Amino acid sequence: MNNTLNILIGGEAGQGLVTVGEILAKSLVRSGYYIVVTQSYMSRIRGGHNTFAIRVSTEEILAPQEPVDLLVALNDETLTLHQKELTPRGRIVADQGCTLEEENCLKVPYGHLAADKFSNIAALGVVCSLLGLDEALVGRTLEDFFGKKNPGLIEENRRILSEAFRWTSAQPTFAGKLPPLSNPPSRVMMQGNEAIALGAISAGLKFFSFYPMTPSTSIGLTLARLAGKMGLLVEQAEDEIAAINMAIGASFAGAPSMVATSGGGFALMVEGVSLAAMTETPIVIVIAQRPGPATGLPTRTEQGDLNFVLHSGHGEFPRAIFAPGTVEECFDLTRQAFALAENYQGPVFILTDQFLSDSYRSLKPFEVATLPPIQPPIDAVFSDLPYHRFAITDSGVSPRLLPGLSEYLVVAGSDEHTEDGHLTEDLSLRKQMVEKRLKKMDRIRQEVIPPERQGDQNPDLLLVSWGSSKGSCLEAASMMRSSGQRVASLHFSQVWPMVPEQFMGFLQDARQVVGVEGNATGQLASLIRQATGFEFHQRVYRYDGLPITPEYILRRLK
């Protein structure tokens, strides 16, 4: 076989395809393979066509793949919708009752292998056997998934798994069996939202508030699961307005805080963004993008909220926006966001999206023990009396005491204020306060993460991306280089502020510059043009709710 295989599991919500997908993905990771998972689901509790796609490889892979090598159909609709996506070597696994008569279809007697409610476990056993995975390893993964609260259920699942393995071993050999790996390195399986949650904990998060909203909700669920062990408080608020104001209050009192939502929820949070800016209160805000406007496509993906976040809040104040391109960057940039928010006392944003939020990958375990702690620069005492919370300084950053932890009064409010925090309508002081807050932007610019460039020098083609489209751009560029073209890629993991000196040379050295974004108007390309005057030569946009793939980029470039 080739060293990569694309598996697509399709069925209705409620059929257990996510259970099959997650156990299969984790079994593959524990066997030493690399994975990229893409989840596509409809906004329904039950019913509607959903898929769980796993691209698996013996080598590191960066992006999803469109052609399907193994189609696991839990219902007939999956065959109708996805059979045409099969590669020439592709194979189908379906129930023996299906009407398909293709030679490449393995018809499974699910009704004989298991009761209807366990048919997904039978499908799991068939697929794992076809791929050549170790039954004992899959069994342990299945037990870990269901836990030990119901021994009877575990025993029944193990029995069905073994039965499915035995039945499959008697079938014709599957040409796509994965090559075994010797001494695979230890890896963990993690999705983008879990990495954001863990990055926040490692950065010292103490308070998280949210109102559930797809695709951001799993950040809150991950943190809630770990809250007791890690000593943090997770609060599900009555709405997003309450969520962000709770977090601002907690941060004002000294607890490093974060909120997470999606576009519609962030619309409600925007007044809180301004409050954090005026009170100079650190807060990290995660926006997991999905197609809008309004409810849009609530369970699909898009990169359409860059302009919204960039201009959110009224008035003028400094901000930074990170856009992770990988699960590892979700962890690292969340730490960076906390450091920046605490050091410069204001809102910092993380822009992710549904694809990256739900995409499992195989990762090296994070070396959290060696990570430097992020200590909020809070003064324990203050000797330069009188204490002014909003003292005008050269850097724009004022001394920070926590209310109630010293003998000094800490005053803050949403009105324009004096240096000691009391409201004022002194218009000359107003001007000074605006300039003081904006001074922080000079220091933030000095810490901007440069865009990452890979590929040929002086390329004929340069692909420019941000956020989750990173992997697809890298693989598309690699495929074009393999065919003899001179191609490079430039990825922005921080999209604001912009420092043109970091990337203008790369743009000018390329014969043709192409923007690759998951939106309809090219928001990053327009932002670069606004900041530099540089006009992109071509744009590859996707806004149908699906993630950008290498194949999609190559089709648009022809």
Side-chain angles (χ1 to χ4, degrees):
M1 67 159 286
N2 293 333
N3 60 6
T4 184
L5 190 74
N6 195 30
I7 306 163
L8 182 71
I9 306 167
E12 288 186 2
Q15 282 193 294
L17 84 162
V18 174
T19 299
V20 173
E22 290 187 355
I23 297 174
L24 174 58
K26 184 162 284 189
S27 298
L28 289 165
V29 172
R30 287 181 172 180
S31 300
Y33 299 102
Y34 293 90
I35 62 166
V36 171
V37 168
T38 308
Q39 297 193 56
S40 178
Y41 46 97
M42 302 185 81
S43 180
R44 302 179 189 179
I45 302 300
R46 185 174 178 85
H49 181 65
N50 297 347
T51 62
F52 192 105
I54 307 171
R55 184 184 176 199
V56 54
S57 178
T58 57
E59 301 172 354
E60 186 173 15
I61 47 178
L62 306 172
Q65 175 184 306
E66 292 181 8
V68 176
D69 301 300
L70 179 60
L71 178 60
V72 183
L74 300 184
N75 62 0
D76 287 342
E77 187 180 20
T78 300
L79 298 174
T80 303
L81 294 175
H82 298 287
Q83 187 181 357
K84 59 183 179 298
E85 299 169 14
L86 280 174
T87 61
R89 63 170 177 162
R91 196 163 186 187
I92 299 169
V93 174
D95 184 82
Q96 67 175 8
C98 79
T99 56
L100 203 63
E101 297 299 335
E102 303 288 335
E103 291 183 356
N104 63 348
C105 181
L106 178 63
K107 294 189 175 183
V108 183
Y110 288 126
H112 295 291
L113 294 175
D116 185 54
K117 67 178 181 179
F118 294 109
S119 60
N120 63 331
I121 301 302
L124 172 71
V126 171
V127 174
C128 290
S129 179
L130 288 174
L131 296 175
L133 298 185
D134 178 69
E135 182 184 338
L137 181 147
V138 179
R140 290 194 297 273
T141 307
L142 186 146
E143 288 181 4
D144 293 344
F145 186 88
F146 286 109
K148 299 179 180 177
K149 293 183 179 179
N150 192 334
L153 181 64
I154 290 294
E155 185 178 344
E156 180 65 4
N157 279 323
R158 286 294 298 262
R159 187 193 66 77
I160 294 168
L161 188 75
S162 295
E163 189 67 23
F165 262 83
R166 274 196 296 274
W167 178 85
T168 311
S169 64
Q171 306 307 310
T173 303
F174 177 47
K177 187 168 286 191
L178 294 168
L181 298 174
S182 58
N183 300 317
S186 175
R187 296 188 183 278
V188 297
M189 187 175 91
M190 192 178 296
Q191 58 178 204
N193 276 359
E194 291 172 332
I196 288 174
L198 296 182
I201 292 174
S202 79
L205 174 76
K206 293 299 178 188
F207 183 83
F208 177 82
S209 49
F210 74 118
Y211 183 78
M213 190 169 190
T214 304
S216 66
T217 304
S218 57
I219 296 174
L221 298 180
T222 302
L223 290 170
R225 189 174 71 247
L226 300 172
K229 185 181 296 184
M230 303 308 298
L232 55 96
L233 181 61
V234 175
E235 178 71 18
Q236 179 176 327
E238 65 268 34
D239 58 35
E240 287 86 352
I241 299 172
I244 192 169
N245 286 319
M246 284 180 180
I248 291 170
S251 181
F252 179 70
S257 300
M258 182 171 80
V259 295
T261 185
S262 186
F266 183 61
L268 297 176
M269 289 185 174
V270 166
E271 189 172 359
V273 173
S274 301
L275 178 62
M278 178 58 95
T279 59
E280 302 188 44
T281 304
I283 184 170
V284 175
I285 304 167
V286 183
I287 299 99
Q289 299 167 99
R290 67 190 205 187
T295 309
L297 294 171
T299 58
R300 308 294 178 171
T301 198
E302 199 162 275
Q303 294 180 291
D305 291 336
L306 172 55
N307 284 339
F308 179 29
V309 172
L310 179 62
H311 300 291
S312 61
H314 48 290
E316 299 168 298
F317 53 88
R319 72 187 73 197
I321 306 173
F322 295 100
T326 64
V327 172
E328 291 91 338
E329 287 183 2
C330 286
F331 182 91
D332 295 336
L333 293 180
T334 301
R335 286 180 51 82
Q336 182 74 7
F338 271 89
L340 212 57
E342 295 291 340
N343 287 336
Y344 296 99
Q345 302 176 7
V348 175
F349 302 88
I350 299 171
L351 266 176
T352 182
D353 55 41
Q354 181 267 330
F355 164 59
L356 187 56
S357 293
D358 292 334
S359 184
Y360 287 104
R361 312 287 174 95
S362 53
L363 313 174
K364 291 181 182 176
F366 295 116
E367 298 288 345
V368 293
T370 60
L371 292 175
I374 295 174
Q375 297 289 351
I378 297 170
D379 301 302
V381 296
F382 195 76
S383 56
D384 188 14
L385 296 175
Y387 171 62
H388 286 163
R389 169 66 187 93
F390 303 104
I392 295 174
T393 64
D394 291 340
S395 67
V397 178
S398 303
R400 185 180 175 204
L401 293 179
L402 297 182
L405 296 185
S406 74
E407 60 184 296
Y408 305 111
L409 183 64
V410 180
V411 180
S414 62
D415 290 74
E416 191 56 274
H417 42 248
T418 58
E419 288 184 277
D420 62 5
H422 291 93
L423 68 88
T424 182
E425 293 200 33
D426 181 334
L427 302 188
S428 65
L429 184 56
R430 152 69 182 179
K431 181 171 179 292
Q432 292 177 58
M433 280 295 171
V434 171
E435 293 169 351
K436 165 198 138 48
R437 290 189 288 267
L438 291 179
K439 274 183 184 177
K440 290 189 276 189
M441 203 63 184
D442 295 335
R443 297 277 295 275
I444 293 174
R445 281 194 183 89
Q446 294 175 17
E447 297 187 27
V448 167
I449 300 171
E452 181 182 351
R453 184 192 179 287
Q454 296 189 42
D456 294 318
Q457 299 295 322
N458 302 113
D460 292 330
L461 181 67
L462 177 69
L463 300 177
V464 180
S465 64
W466 63 282
S468 69
S469 54
K470 177 179 184 177
S472 293
C473 281
L474 287 172
E475 289 209 359
S478 176
M479 294 162 74
M480 285 186 280
R481 282 195 296 275
S482 298
S483 65
Q485 301 180 64
R486 292 186 59 79
V487 182
S489 63
L490 186 68
H491 179 261
F492 287 75
S493 60
Q494 184 171 357
V495 290
W496 190 258
M498 285 201 161
V499 181
E501 296 79 14
Q502 292 180 337
F503 58 84
M504 274 306 295
F506 300 137
L507 300 180
Q508 293 167 337
D509 287 345
R511 190 173 63 83
Q512 185 177 27
V513 179
V514 179
V516 181
E517 302 185 45
N519 57 60
T521 57
Q523 296 183 21
L524 180 69
S526 298
L527 189 58
I528 290 174
R529 183 181 60 189
Q530 177 185 324
T532 68
F534 184 87
E535 185 73 54
F536 281 47
H537 304 108
Q538 186 178 349
R539 301 181 181 191
V540 173
Y541 301 153
R542 186 162 202 175
Y543 41 93
D544 57 2
L546 298 175
I548 293 173
T549 62
E551 295 89 350
Y552 183 89
I553 296 171
L554 295 177
R555 284 197 299 271
R556 293 299 183 278
L557 290 176
K558 287 182 178 176

